[in-house]
Amino acid sequence: MRVRSTLTGYVALLGALTVGYFAVPGWRTATWVVLALCSLIAIVVGVKLHRPRRRAPWLLFAGAVLAFAVGDTMINVQVLVLDRQVGFPSTAHLVYLAIYPLMTAGLIAAIRSRSDNPGLGTVLDTLTVTLGVGVLAWTLLVEPNLTNPGLSLLAKLVSVGYPLGDLVVLATLVQLLTRSRVRGVSVIMVAFAAAALFSGDVLYAAAHLGDGWEIASPIDLAWVVFYGGLGAAALHPSMRCLTEPSPEAEADSRVGVVRIALLCFAASIAPAVLVARALLTQAGEVAAIAVVVIAVFLVVSARLAGVVAHYQQALARERVLGRVHAALSSARSVNEVLAIAERAMGELLAPRPHHAQVWSGAGRQPAQSDIGLRPSVLLPAAELPTELRADMVHLPYGLLLPLTDTGLLVEAESPSPVLVAAGAEVALRRARCSLELLAAQAAEALNRVALNEEITRRQTEEYFRSVVQHASDIIIVINGDGLIRYATPSTARLFGAVTPGTPVLNLLHHQQRAQAETVIEAVRNNRNIDEPTDWCLMRPDGALITVEATCKNLHDDSTVNGLVLTMRDVTEQRRLQHELTGLAYNDGLTGLGNRAYFVERLHQAAQNGVHTDRLVGVLLLDVDDFQAVNDTMGHQAGDELLTVLAERLRAVVANPDDVARLGADEFAVLVTDASHPEALEQRAATLLESLRQPVTVTAGITEHTASCGIASTAQATDGEDLLRQADVALRTAKTAGKNQWARYQAQLHELTRQRIELRAALAQALAEGDFLLHFQPIVRLDDAVPVGYEALVRWQHRTRGMVPPDEFIEVAEDSGLIVELGDWVLGEALRTLAGWRRMAQYTAGESPYVSVNVSARQFRSPGFVDRFRHLLDETGVPADNLLLEITESLLLRDDEQVWTDLMQLRSWGVRIAIDDFGTGYSSLSYLRQFPVDVLKIDKSFLDDMAHSAQQQAVVDAILRLARTLELTVVAEGIEEPTQRQLLLHLGCPLGQGYLFSRPVPAGEIAHPARRRPVDAT
């Protein structure tokens, strides 16, 4: 839009200046100067705006405009301003002469930019036009000036210089226009500007030969066009085309009607001048001869024009055939070859009216006698087949070109395709040779395609023949009577030598023949069986093998004409599948079904129960405290125990397939024969009783119990619900004290949901810091003076308030959050103790210690000892001020890493206590072997001590054992003064419980550093 506006403004300004130049005589000098400046500025702006590939031509054009403007200004100043006559030749006329070399140099630079090859034809055409116009210029302008006696030698030379300069400019312009095809408005504008310069000069010279020339004459319009044409050409976007390389180098080969007419006109100028002079001098014989010369020249030119046109048509057809040959060489199918040939016929017959198609050749084809020795036949439309005439609307003739190497076939069984070209007879005869060449190329391409297909087919046959001969699969061709007609060599590997005519059923095991006969009969009746079937065969050595057999009916295939039976030996594969199925559905330790097997059977039974309205139940059993067996006796003992329990379940359950092992110590029993839910409870009690009996393993005798969860389709809809409900019931039985069964009830689901919510809330509480520590004093029983404090974690729930530990500790253990929670408790306890130590200066042995419970899972977590060391270093608390309470289960497991970690802690000064001593799987050996410092007697031993001599004896035994092993004893859960007195009497030194203080926040402990007696009232 910007370029168009600039160009439009330039043309409007030029028009206004031109009108002003002729209308206002007083401003002619200034107006003419502005016209020249506008042209110069337009050329410079166009070069800057469009950035042509080469600027030299345009700068030379600007120099020519500048020379013209300087000469005009010099003359206008003398005539219009100074009112003087301008002599001839003057300095201005000499400046004018610079226009021609500058214009010529610019045109030559443009020619060289477009093409470096001048081309002989272009040079000859340029010379023809230049010489013709030169004769006219010589006769009209040069000769009169040279023979004018009134002109000086300089005047004659200047007068001759103008037409000669115009001729040179004209010659270079003709070469620019004829060397390559002109593209762009800008090139046309340059040509018009040069033509305007030539015209103005001719008119100016003619005026000088006549009455003279005056300023502001119509001749000035030609020079205005020269100025404006060059400026507009520079402003137009196509100005870049003037110096762009021409895409066509074969300009000499393009001789059109316009060029021939121009050349004839230029060549006729000299005879025409001769005729004119002869007539003026009344030389009639010369005029007649000149006229005859012109006529003969025009006739010869016409003949040459026809030859050139024929040559150009032949060249165009040759190019079409070249492209078609390349396209046919890459064609890969018959349809692709025919489509290329049909398009090529249209190109060869254009631009005259025509029709081109590929005919299948069906019906009668013309005989060889119709066409003689030519590979084509030209027939009137009336003699063509009816199906061809329908498409040839108003076209009188048709040319048939068969695509064969030997010409047209007569009554061929499989006719070859035929190219059909329709049009005028003359046009078809002219294009006949090219069309025959096209047909020959297409026929050759079809032969190549057919040969490639044949080679591919034969290679494929050879390939498949080799594959069949060497295939490991057995391929047998059976005739309609079930007899073997062909068998691949691989058949001998399984059956030995198989002779044709043998009934195929003889190869099969007698138990398999009926099934095989059914399959073969179904395929023979065209009921193909897509899925392969397994057949059992007997080898010559009597061994049975399994084959995967498929049968296809290929009676319609002439190369087969029978049933094709394919068999593959899958004996090993089926054996592996059976083993994998066993691994996938059986437990490797006990031989029972696994979870996948049980879930599949459960879903089946549940669906059948829905359809038959029969009760289906699941008994989910879990061995209580099974981990303790692994810890105390080792994993081998645990495996032996599970194996014995599995055998007991098989013995009790009527159908052993109804028993499965779902997990480590979890079994499941499917019950499908219970008449009512109470029968499931009776079955559960029986199973628990059988599992409760002691088991002798390599490491000793185990005492164990189990818990059971019961669910049935009375409340569940499918197998998934049954398992989920049984699991909820099992957890309920475990929570209720183990060694019992529990039946699923709807409210149990709510308890499970609450447990899940509690686990999620527990994780959130850890992240948000909702836990706090309470401390319970550990006192000397004789004077109630605190010697230490046990750190007990409390959960300050944001909505439920204070949550007791027995509600969330088990959830933390199950979820693994106990590790993170235990680390927090340990760190917070050490930080509290560090705060107490800062409150007072302790002497040796005065500082109270803090006792912290460490779960077995936390202790075994990777990096526990390192984390503990970091906390000691961070808080600065001496290691001997800390007592770690662990459970017996941690020590009962023969774990080298636990032993190493305990020794490491003891080496730092940390003391170790056994919490709840006597409630677990107590073993006196670990007290002697492991580094233990303190025994904590569980509260359950103290509850009935005042009324039970047996309980007193147990406590007394523990105290005696501790004194023997030099261990300190702490009694837990002291609530009555009587308990305190009995413990003192038995020699228990330390204790803790509500009698002395409940667990309280650290801030409520009265001066822990002063170690005053605790009020035991």
Side-chain angles (χ1 to χ4, degrees):
M1 184 63 69
R2 175 186 173 190
V3 174
R4 183 179 297 177
S5 300
T6 302
L7 188 58
T8 303
Y10 170 74
V11 174
L13 176 61
L14 216 62
L17 291 173
T18 302
V19 172
Y21 173 77
F22 287 101
V24 184
W27 290 94
R28 282 175 180 168
T29 300
T31 304
W32 194 259
V33 172
V34 174
L35 274 169
L37 288 175
C38 285
S39 179
L40 282 172
I41 294 172
I43 293 174
V44 174
V45 170
V47 171
K48 297 283 288 183
L49 186 63
H50 301 300
R51 300 181 181 276
R53 192 170 68 95
R54 292 186 181 176
R55 300 183 179 185
W58 294 101
L59 297 180
L60 290 170
F61 294 159
V65 170
L66 180 61
F68 206 140
V70 170
D72 280 346
T73 302
M74 294 173 66
I75 291 178
N76 288 336
V77 168
Q78 291 189 34
V79 175
L80 299 177
V81 178
L82 303 179
D83 196 18
R84 297 178 183 176
Q85 292 295 325
V86 179
F88 185 82
S90 65
T91 305
H93 293 97
L94 295 176
V95 173
Y96 281 141
L97 290 176
I99 298 172
Y100 306 107
L102 290 172
M103 280 295 297
T104 302
L107 292 172
I108 291 175
I111 292 171
R112 296 296 298 273
S113 296
R114 293 175 66 80
S115 175
D116 292 332
N117 181 19
L120 180 60
T122 301
V123 173
L124 293 177
D125 292 347
T126 302
L127 289 176
T128 300
V129 175
T130 303
L131 291 175
V133 178
V135 170
L136 190 61
W138 175 268
T139 304
L140 298 178
L141 300 177
V142 176
E143 185 181 9
N145 283 313
L146 290 177
T147 58
N148 187 352
L151 295 177
S152 63
L153 178 60
L154 181 60
K156 290 180 180 181
L157 293 176
V158 173
S159 298
V160 171
Y162 289 150
L164 290 179
D166 285 328
L167 284 175
V168 174
V169 172
L170 178 64
T172 53
L173 179 62
V174 170
Q175 191 172 4
L176 173 67
L177 298 178
T178 57
R179 175 169 290 191
S180 59
R181 182 174 299 175
V182 178
R183 288 184 176 89
V185 177
S186 181
V187 179
I188 304 298
M189 289 183 179
V190 172
F192 271 109
L197 175 65
F198 178 81
S199 302
D201 289 347
V202 170
L203 294 175
Y204 176 75
H208 266 285
L209 293 175
D211 298 333
W213 169 79
E214 296 181 354
I215 294 177
S217 67
I219 298 175
D220 291 345
L221 287 175
W223 293 326
V224 170
V225 172
F226 171 70
Y227 283 149
L230 289 179
L235 290 175
H236 197 274
S238 64
M239 60 91 69
R240 291 189 294 267
C241 297
L242 186 66
T243 56
E244 291 294 329
S246 173
E248 300 183 25
E250 64 280 3
D252 288 351
S253 65
R254 297 191 311 273
V255 182
V257 177
V258 176
R259 179 180 286 197
I260 293 175
L262 179 62
L263 293 175
C264 291
F265 172 75
S268 302
I269 292 177
V273 170
L274 184 59
V275 170
R277 282 197 170 186
L279 293 176
L280 291 175
T281 59
Q282 297 181 350
E285 293 179 357
V286 176
I289 293 172
V291 170
V292 172
V293 170
I294 294 174
V296 171
F297 174 75
L298 292 177
V299 171
V300 172
S301 298
R303 172 58 182 152
L304 292 177
V307 172
V308 170
H310 180 73
Y311 166 74
Q312 289 180 338
Q313 290 179 357
L315 184 62
R317 289 170 181 168
E318 182 181 351
R319 290 175 178 170
V320 171
L321 291 175
R323 293 196 303 270
V324 169
H325 179 72
L328 291 175
S329 298
S330 60
R332 293 291 179 269
S333 65
V334 173
N335 291 335
E336 189 176 356
V337 170
L338 297 181
I340 293 172
E342 186 173 343
R343 288 196 301 269
M345 280 196 299
E347 295 182 28
L348 292 174
L349 294 173
R352 292 181 174 85
H354 66 278
H355 171 73
Q357 74 175 76
V358 177
W359 181 40
S360 63
R364 179 191 176 278
Q365 298 187 16
Q368 187 75 26
S369 60
D370 294 339
I371 58 175
L373 300 176
R374 302 208 61 170
S376 65
V377 58
L378 182 65
L379 297 173
E383 298 182 16
L384 294 174
T386 305
E387 60 268 25
L388 292 179
R389 291 200 303 269
D391 297 326
M392 297 168 51
V393 182
H394 306 302
L395 296 176
Y397 275 83
L399 182 66
L400 305 182
L401 303 106
L403 301 183
T404 61
D405 290 337
T406 59
L408 296 176
L409 302 177
V410 181
E411 300 297 337
E413 295 181 2
S414 180
S416 62
V418 178
L419 301 183
V420 180
E425 181 181 8
V426 175
L428 292 177
R429 290 188 182 276
R430 289 178 178 175
R432 188 171 186 175
C433 290
S434 298
L435 291 172
E436 288 174 352
L437 287 174
L438 171 64
Q441 291 182 0
E444 181 182 356
L446 289 176
N447 289 337
R448 177 180 54 79
V449 170
L451 182 60
N452 288 338
E453 290 178 351
E454 179 65 17
I455 291 174
T456 302
R457 184 184 66 81
R458 293 187 180 183
Q459 289 177 344
T460 303
E461 288 181 356
E462 290 294 333
Y463 170 76
F464 281 108
R465 183 178 295 110
S466 177
V467 169
V468 169
Q469 291 295 325
H470 297 89
S472 60
D473 291 356
I474 299 171
I475 302 175
I476 299 175
V477 179
I478 311 169
N479 62 16
D481 298 328
L483 303 179
I484 296 176
R485 199 171 71 234
Y486 170 81
T488 57
S490 57
T491 309
R493 180 169 50 84
L494 294 181
F495 306 110
V498 177
T499 58
T502 302
V504 68
L505 295 180
N506 290 354
L507 303 179
L508 307 181
H509 191 267
H510 64 276
Q511 295 180 350
Q512 194 74 62
R513 292 176 184 176
Q515 178 189 359
E517 188 174 9
T518 302
V519 172
I520 293 174
E521 185 64 27
V523 174
R524 183 182 290 116
N525 295 327
N526 294 321
R527 298 197 308 271
N528 283 337
I529 300 176
D530 296 329
E531 292 296 327
T533 57
D534 284 357
W535 292 353
C536 183
L537 307 182
M538 180 179 293
R539 293 197 312 194
D541 59 1
L544 295 178
I545 62 173
T546 302
V547 296
E548 186 180 74
T550 57
C551 192
K552 296 292 182 182
N553 189 341
L554 297 182
H555 273 296
D556 296 334
D557 190 335
S558 59
T559 61
V560 179
N561 190 24
L563 303 182
V564 177
L565 179 62
T566 304
M567 292 184 288
R568 175 182 300 172
D569 186 0
V570 293
T571 305
E572 187 65 20
Q573 181 180 343
R574 293 296 182 263
R575 185 185 65 79
L576 290 175
Q577 286 180 353
H578 180 73
E579 291 181 1
L580 291 175
T581 302
L583 293 175
Y585 286 98
N586 291 300
D587 176 52
L589 176 64
T590 63
L592 298 175
N594 59 12
R595 176 178 287 273
Y597 170 80
F598 186 79
V599 168
E600 186 173 317
R601 279 184 54 82
L602 179 60
H603 281 297
Q604 254 181 348
Q607 291 177 359
N608 294 337
V610 171
H611 295 141
T612 60
D613 197 22
R614 188 173 59 184
L615 183 68
V616 176
V618 172
L619 306 181
L620 199 60
L621 300 107
D622 185 87
V623 181
D624 297 331
D625 300 319
F626 177 74
Q627 185 62 41
V629 177
N630 280 337
D631 291 339
T632 57
M633 297 184 175
H635 286 282
Q636 182 178 353
D639 292 345
E640 293 176 8
L641 173 61
L642 293 175
T643 303
V644 173
L645 296 181
E647 290 298 331
R648 290 181 180 178
L649 290 175
R650 278 199 191 96
V652 174
V653 177
N655 184 4
D657 291 338
D658 291 338
V659 184
R661 181 188 176 204
L662 304 189
D665 59 342
E666 191 173 69
F667 297 89
V669 177
L670 176 64
V671 180
T672 58
D673 57 352
S675 57
H676 49 80
E678 289 74 14
L680 295 175
E681 297 174 0
Q682 296 172 4
R683 192 76 55 85
T686 302
L687 293 175
L688 292 181
E689 182 60 31
S690 67
L691 298 180
R692 191 179 296 120
Q693 303 303 318
V695 175
T696 302
V697 296
T698 304
I701 300 177
T702 64
E703 298 283 347
H704 56 272
T705 59
S707 301
C708 179
I710 305 172
S712 68
T713 50
Q715 293 178 296
T717 57
D718 54 26
E720 185 177 352
D721 274 350
L722 276 172
L723 268 182
R724 181 181 56 80
Q725 292 180 5
D727 186 64
V728 171
L730 176 62
R731 289 182 178 274
T732 303
K734 287 278 192 181
T735 306
K738 306 176 184 179
N739 191 25
Q740 56 186 294
W741 56 261
R743 186 154 56 96
Y744 175 80
Q745 298 176 2
Q747 59 268 28
L748 296 181
H749 177 72
E750 179 63 22
L751 294 176
T752 303
R753 185 188 63 79
Q754 292 176 2
R755 186 180 181 88
I756 295 174
E757 291 179 353
L758 186 65
R759 180 181 299 181
L762 186 63
Q764 182 178 2
L766 273 172
E768 297 179 357
D770 290 343
F771 290 96
L772 51 87
L773 286 185
H774 284 186
F775 293 87
Q776 187 176 39
I778 300 173
V779 303
R780 291 197 299 257
L781 292 180
D782 56 354
D783 57 7
V785 173
V787 296
Y789 296 89
E790 182 176 1
L792 301 171
V793 65
R794 296 294 184 266
W795 180 6
Q796 185 65 43
H797 197 282
R798 301 196 177 187
T799 57
R800 296 173 55 184
M802 192 69 70
V803 180
D806 55 357
E807 290 189 19
F808 65 84
I809 291 298
E810 183 182 355
V811 176
E813 287 277 3
D814 292 343
S815 62
L817 294 173
I818 192 65
V819 176
E820 183 179 354
L821 178 60
D823 286 352
W824 177 86
V825 170
L826 189 57
E828 189 66 18
L830 287 174
R831 284 186 285 272
T832 302
L833 180 57
W836 291 343
R837 290 176 58 82
R838 285 193 296 271
M839 295 172 58
Q841 297 294 327
Y842 292 109
T843 60
E846 289 187 350
S847 173
Y849 68 87
V850 170
S851 179
V852 180
N853 289 277
V854 178
S855 72
R857 190 165 186 172
Q858 179 188 0
F859 194 91
R860 291 197 183 98
S861 65
F864 169 75
V865 174
D866 294 335
R867 296 195 302 272
F868 178 69
R869 177 75 263 181
H870 175 73
L871 288 173
L872 288 177
D873 295 340
E874 178 185 351
T875 57
V877 174
D880 58 1
N881 283 175
L882 189 69
L883 177 68
L884 294 184
E885 297 186 16
I886 61 176
T887 59
E888 292 178 87
S889 61
L890 180 64
L891 299 179
L892 293 176
R893 181 175 178 179
D894 188 10
D895 193 327
E896 185 66 27
Q897 186 61 45
V898 172
W899 170 266
T900 303
D901 291 344
L902 287 173
M903 292 302 296
Q904 181 70 43
L905 293 173
R906 287 288 303 276
S907 68
W908 294 341
V910 178
R911 293 187 299 154
I912 306 299
I914 302 298
D915 193 21
D916 300 333
F917 179 76
T919 59
Y921 289 82
S922 302
S923 175
L924 299 181
S925 62
Y926 76 79
L927 293 178
R928 180 173 50 83
Q929 296 173 1
F930 282 88
V932 177
D933 302 285
V934 178
L935 295 181
K936 300 194 73 172
I937 302 177
D938 187 67
K939 178 179 181 297
S940 60
F941 292 106
L942 274 63
D943 288 341
D944 297 330
M945 189 174 64
H947 310 287
S948 172
Q950 184 179 7
Q951 289 290 75
Q952 290 184 30
V954 171
V955 174
D956 183 53
I958 293 174
L959 290 171
R960 290 176 183 276
L961 174 64
R963 283 193 292 270
T964 301
L965 297 176
E966 298 181 353
L967 301 178
T968 303
V969 178
V970 177
E972 294 182 297
I974 302 174
E975 298 179 353
E976 302 293 337
T978 305
Q979 294 173 340
R980 176 185 179 185
Q981 294 302 322
L982 287 174
L983 289 170
L984 282 172
H985 174 72
L986 295 175
C988 181
L990 303 176
Q992 65 183 97
Y994 288 176
L995 178 65
F996 305 104
S997 174
R998 290 178 175 271
V1000 295
E1004 297 183 14
I1005 296 177
H1007 302 290
R1010 297 180 183 178
R1011 305 184 64 176
R1012 293 184 177 180
V1014 177
D1015 185 8
T1017 58

